[in-house]
Amino acid sequence: MPDPLPSAYRILTAASLPAYLATLPGIPARLGGAPSAWQVRDVADGNLNAVFLVDGPEGGLCVKQALPYVRVVGESWPMDIHRAFFEARYIARVAPFAAGLAPRLHHYDDAQFVMVMDKLAPHTILRRALLEGRHMPRAAADLADYAARASFHTSDLAQPFERRFEDLLVFSRSLALQRITVDLVFTDPFAEHERNRFPRPHLTAWAAALREDAAVKDAVATLRRAYLGKPQSLIHGDLHSGSVMVTPEETRVIDGEFACVGPSGFDIGHVLAHFALAWFARPQGDPLRPLLAADMAVFWDSFRRRFLALWEGAEATGDAFPASHYPGPAGAARMARQRAAYLDDIFADARGFLAVEIIRRIIGFAQVADFQARAGEEERASAMASALAFARSLLVWPERYGDIADLTAALPRFDGAGLDPRPTRPW
Ligand code: ADP
Ligand code: MG
């Protein structure tokens, strides 16, 4: 059971926010002027929390407060407010490695479950930009850089195991949100569940086909076990295009409340999944499509290159490969093979998580806005069905997708696969 609400906890409103912020150390100076001059805007467009942007004469801040329930659903779905603690810990833990790619955290209030961070402006949510047909040229490479730095530096490749175990101790207590991932990502979409929100009746047969496909279920079971039992590095846990704010020049990762220690391929698969979802959501011939396919390749290739560069550098002082382990030139060759195998393993995990993420975003509770790019329910459902066909293929025939080029080359093959879930071609 989640801890009871601390008695001092109050839900902030736009009206009560200035007086509250005035009490926090260092915060009034960042805004400047008197609290009465601060402009507050409620911008919560996410699913879970209250978010305000505050502007003063000297600068702007973003204030995020965890609510004791799921914001989009209401009080009927209670949700542990300690998620704010884990988001704040995640930001602080990754900040030394991800300099410049996430907003800075200026204050965390452990009585009100409030984070005060940089206000990102004029940034927009990446998903929104893509929905409007605007390609963001830096996003893929920047996200690769972020993911490589965060996953390398919090792994056994860079850290003594004692340090990683500290992360495990902290983030293993984030039970409520990891429960959501286990249920909403890995479980509900592959069973009959009232929370599943796919368009009916168009995708009813697809939902049943996925539920009844033994090969799909086996692959998902393996991935669920990896999420639960492969503590490789600290992961963001929800790294989709709605958790990324962009301008054409800048990329910032937000919303790390699902952070946990898990398989590094989880975040990688999520980024790829949301580029792929955006690809399927665009109509045929849309100029964004080739750019999104290129983003997938740029993201993976940059991640791999950056991760290897970090591993070959001076900071690879973790316990996984002590310097004494592979001495001499023969050792160097063995080490190179180890590195390649490690990256292949991340890719294999990412390919699976990519597929599960696509499925859960179409069949499950948390739908994505990308498909609004299609007019009409039937056309939207067809685009979703194509994405499902792609995802199922990755789960059932992973050996056909040995590298990123195999993935991007496959996208058009599933385009227009139709609403009938029976495979007509041997994918
Ligand atoms: P939730 O966890 O409820 O999904 P998010 O962290 O995704 O909340 O934030 C919700 C929305 O608030 C984002 O989609 C974005 O529009 C806005 N937002 C969040 N953080 C910032 C920030 N640092 N600067 C500006 N806007 C932000
Ligand atoms: Mg969130």
Side-chain angles (χ1 to χ4, degrees), residues 311 321 325-342:
W311 197 347
F321 295 96
H325 193 74
Y326 286 129
R334 283 180 176 269
M335 192 62 221
R337 281 201 290 279
Q338 289 277 6
R339 291 193 177 108
Y342 190 98

Side-chain angles (χ1 to χ4, degrees), residues 61-394:
L61 292 169
C62 173
V63 181
K64 177 169 177 179
Q65 182 180 38
L67 303 173
Y69 47 82
V70 175
R71 198 184 65 87
V72 281
V73 175
E75 297 187 34
S76 62
W77 188 344
M79 182 59 54
D80 185 6
I81 47 173
H82 293 82
R83 62 189 185 272
F85 167 84
F86 297 106
E87 180 170 351
R89 287 297 287 256
Y90 174 78
I91 298 175
R93 179 75 176 100
V94 174
F97 321 121
L101 290 169
R104 285 171 308 163
L105 180 67
H106 297 298
H107 186 76
Y108 174 65
D109 180 341
D110 61 6
Q112 299 304 329
F113 302 88
V114 164
M115 282 165 281
V116 183
M117 61 189 129
D118 286 339
K119 174 189 154 190
L120 300 170
H123 303 63
T124 51
I125 290 287
L126 174 59
R127 189 186 312 286
R128 172 104 343 241
L130 295 177
L131 187 55
E132 291 165 3
R134 290 186 290 133
H135 183 246
M136 290 291 142
R138 297 269 342 139
D142 284 349
L143 286 172
D145 196 20
Y146 178 91
R149 291 198 246 165
S151 58
F152 173 77
H153 283 290
T154 60
S155 75
D156 286 331
L157 307 176
Q159 305 272 337
F161 75 86
E162 292 90 342
R163 183 67 193 83
R164 192 174 57 77
F165 280 17
E166 270 177 49
D167 288 336
L168 262 174
L169 276 172
V170 170
F171 290 93
S172 297
R173 287 170 44 230
S174 180
L175 301 177
L177 269 63
Q178 292 182 76
R179 167 54 65 195
I180 291 189
T181 300
V182 170
D183 291 350
L184 263 55
V185 177
F186 292 105
T187 305
D188 299 355
F190 304 95
E192 285 196 76
H193 198 288
E194 74 225 9
R195 283 194 296 223
N196 291 340
R197 295 202 298 185
F198 57 86
R200 288 162 227 257
H202 307 91
L203 293 183
T204 304
W206 252 109
L210 290 168
R211 281 199 300 275
E212 288 153 16
D213 187 321
V216 166
K217 302 272 282 223
D218 289 349
V220 172
T222 302
L223 290 158
R224 192 198 287 105
R225 275 199 304 121
Y227 172 74
L228 289 169
K230 189 171 183 178
Q232 201 171 8
S233 65
L234 183 61
I235 59 177
H236 177 283
D238 199 24
L239 193 54
H240 57 81
S241 53
S243 299
V244 181
M245 295 192 74
V246 285
T247 69
E249 293 81 30
E250 289 187 359
T251 310
R252 299 284 183 271
V253 172
I254 63 166
D255 200 12
E257 64 191 333
F258 283 86
C260 62
V261 180
S264 301
F266 191 81
D267 285 349
I268 307 305
H270 279 221
V271 172
L272 292 171
H274 288 263
F275 281 134
L277 280 162
W279 191 97
F280 282 106
R282 309 302 298 180
Q284 234 174 49
D286 187 294
L288 206 56
R289 273 192 162 183
L291 297 170
L292 289 164
D295 280 341
M296 291 174 72
V298 165
F299 173 73
W300 170 256
D301 290 337
S302 313
F303 170 81
R304 190 176 193 285
R305 210 174 323 113
R306 187 85 180 99
F307 196 98
L308 285 172
L310 287 167
W311 197 347
E312 285 156 13
E315 291 171 285
T317 53
D319 275 315
F321 295 96
S324 59
H325 193 74
Y326 286 129
R334 283 180 176 269
M335 192 62 221
R337 281 201 290 279
Q338 289 277 6
R339 291 193 177 108
Y342 190 98
L343 269 300
D344 288 350
D345 180 61
I346 293 183
F347 181 81
D349 285 349
R351 178 183 54 208
F353 293 126
L354 183 180
V356 170
E357 176 66 4
I358 286 181
I359 293 170
R360 78 101 169 185
R361 291 293 190 164
I362 292 172
I363 302 296
F365 172 73
Q367 305 271 319
V368 289
D370 304 54
F371 291 96
Q372 288 167 16
R374 299 292 188 116
E377 225 184 311
E378 172 120 19
E379 200 196 320
R380 269 200 294 279
S382 298
M384 291 176 179
S386 302
L388 291 175
F390 171 67
R392 175 176 64 186
S393 182
L394 300 190

